[in-house]
Amino acid sequence: MTDQIAGNVHAALQECEGDVEAAQAVLIKSAIPDVMKLFKESRVGGRYEHSEFPPTADVLRKRSQRGADEIWEGRPKWRNPHVFQAAKKGETFEVTALDMNAAYLSALKCWLPIGQLIETTDGVHNPKKAGVHLITPPDWEHADLPNPLGNRMEPGELWVTESALRLLLDCARQGLSDAPTIHRSLVSGGTEVLLEKLRRALAEVRKTALAEGDELTVNYVKSMYSKLVSTLGESTANRDMRRPDWMHIIRAKAFANLWMKANKIDKAGLQVVEISGTDELHVIGDWRQVFAEGRDLNQVKEKQTYTLGGKR
C-alpha cells in the first residue's frame, strides 16, 4: 500500500510535467477513490467481512438534505471559566496553543461495528460490540476540565457514539464522574482493527514524507484520510460505502483523543485554558514535560504563545 501511494504521487507529477501545484490538484481530486481502493486492499485476508451498505437506522438518517441526524459526537468548544475570570480582573497568563497532528488519522484506531446494527435494551455495555447508544449522561462537576461530551447545553437523553460512551465509562473508572445510564443500544460485533492496516500505511507514508520535506505527499495523505471520514456517511462523493455510524464514531474518537490530552495536561498539574475542534489545546505551564514536540502522530506542535489578561 505504501508503494501504491508513492506510485500515485509519481504518476500525478509525471502527468503534470513536474508542476507540484497541478499534481496536488490531481491527487486531491482522486483522493476518495484512491483511499477506498487502499481500504479494500487492506481488508484482503482480514478476519472480519464488514458490511458496506447495511440498512441505516432511523437515528442515523439526516432529517433533511442539509440537516443532521440524531447522533451527538461530542465536539469540544470550551474555555476555562476560572482562568478567563482572573484574566478579566487583570491577572496575566502566558498561554501556549498546541496543535494535535493528523487527528482524524489517529482516530481511525477506534471500535467500529462490523455488520448491521441491532437493537439491545439490556442497558449493559458489551466491550466486544460497537455502535451508537441512547444514554442519560452523568453530571460533570469539574470546572477546570472540559466535559467529555463537549459543549452540549440541553439536559436529558441523547444518542452518542461508541467512542463517546467508552470515554464516559473510562471517566467513571477514573472516579471523575458517575457512569452514564444506557437506555438503548444499536450495535454489531465490533473490532478496533478494521481500519488499522490502512491507518498504518497512511501513517508510514506521512512520516517518510515529513522526513523528506515532501509536502505534496503529506497533503495527499491528509486529503485521503480526511475525505474518507467525511464521505463515509450519506455522501454522493463516495459510492463505495455508506456507514454513517463509522463516520460519527471516528469523528467522536478524534474529539475523545483531544479530551484525553486535556486530561493528561490536568493530571500533570498544568492548566487547560481552552479546547476546541479536533486538534486545538491551549495550556498554561511547561507542556513539554507532558508531550513530545514534533509533527509525528504521537507528538504535538506549538502553534503560538500569547499573553492572556493583563492591564484592565
Side-chain angles (χ1 to χ4, degrees), residues 9-287:
V9 174
H10 181 70
L13 281 169
Q14 276 196 320
E15 178 187 335
C16 300
E17 299 178 339
D19 186 327
V20 174
E21 283 191 18
Q24 183 162 303
V26 168
L27 290 168
I28 289 174
K29 189 174 181 180
S30 68
I32 296 170
D34 289 353
V35 76
M36 291 309 300
K37 183 180 178 184
L38 289 169
F39 172 55
K40 287 180 179 179
E41 289 180 7
S42 77
R43 297 304 305 148
V44 173
R47 286 180 59 192
Y48 308 105
E49 188 66 35
H50 64 276
S51 300
E52 294 180 339
F53 292 94
T56 302
D58 284 346
V59 297
L60 289 159
R61 292 183 188 276
K62 289 184 177 180
R63 295 295 170 255
S64 64
Q65 189 173 1
R66 294 192 175 184
D69 56 31
E70 294 184 38
I71 307 302
W72 180 258
E73 294 174 344
R75 187 180 185 90
K77 188 177 181 182
W78 177 87
R79 287 181 163 187
N80 189 317
H82 292 158
V83 172
F84 277 85
Q85 285 167 12
K88 281 184 179 179
K89 294 176 181 176
E91 198 170 337
T92 301
F93 301 97
E94 294 302 315
V95 182
T96 304
L98 299 175
D99 186 40
M100 308 300 119
N101 297 313
Y104 281 136
L105 180 54
S106 296
L108 296 184
K109 188 176 183 65
C110 60
W111 279 86
L112 293 171
I114 299 162
Q116 179 182 348
L117 303 183
I118 305 297
E119 182 173 5
T120 67
T121 56
D122 59 10
V124 177
H125 179 250
N126 185 336
K128 294 184 179 179
K129 293 187 176 183
V132 295
H133 309 267
L134 180 65
I135 67 165
T136 297
D139 292 333
W140 187 255
E141 299 174 350
H142 304 275
D144 289 327
L145 194 61
N147 190 315
L149 278 181
N151 62 327
R152 181 176 170 81
M153 308 302 287
E154 300 173 18
E157 299 177 0
L158 74 161
W159 283 96
V160 299
T161 69
E162 187 67 30
S163 301
L165 178 62
R166 287 178 184 252
L167 178 59
L168 290 173
L169 292 171
D170 187 50
C171 286
R173 282 190 288 270
Q174 293 182 53
L176 291 170
S177 67
D178 293 333
T181 302
I182 304 171
H183 304 289
R184 293 170 58 199
S185 295
L186 298 171
V187 292
S188 165
T191 175
E192 202 177 16
V193 298
L194 267 178
L195 299 173
E196 185 59 8
K197 284 185 180 178
L198 173 64
R199 187 191 71 81
R200 286 183 180 179
L202 293 172
E204 183 180 334
V205 171
R206 179 183 178 274
K207 187 172 185 176
T208 301
L210 284 171
E212 296 174 352
D214 180 4
E215 291 297 328
L216 175 61
T217 299
V218 172
N219 290 331
Y220 175 44
V221 169
K222 182 177 182 179
S223 184
M224 280 197 285
Y225 67 71
S226 60
K227 286 178 182 287
L228 171 68
V229 177
S230 65
T231 64
L232 276 175
E234 298 178 32
S235 170
T236 56
N238 187 344
R239 301 186 183 276
D240 293 306
M241 183 178 289
R242 187 183 64 242
R243 293 295 310 234
D245 49 347
W246 288 19
M247 178 190 71
H248 286 306
I249 289 168
I250 296 167
R251 283 181 178 169
K253 180 62 175 176
F255 303 147
N257 286 344
L258 182 59
W259 185 89
M260 286 188 283
K261 285 186 168 66
N263 188 35
K264 199 170 182 180
I265 284 287
D266 185 68
K267 281 185 173 179
L270 283 66
Q271 277 189 297
V272 182
V273 176
E274 190 172 337
I275 176 175
S276 62
T278 57
D279 55 14
E280 195 161 324
L281 177 61
H282 296 222
V283 303
I284 297 170
D286 181 11
W287 59 271

Side-chain angles (χ1 to χ4, degrees), residues 268 270 285-291:
L270 283 66
D286 181 11
W287 59 271
R288 289 181 179 85
Q289 65 177 288
V290 184
F291 303 126

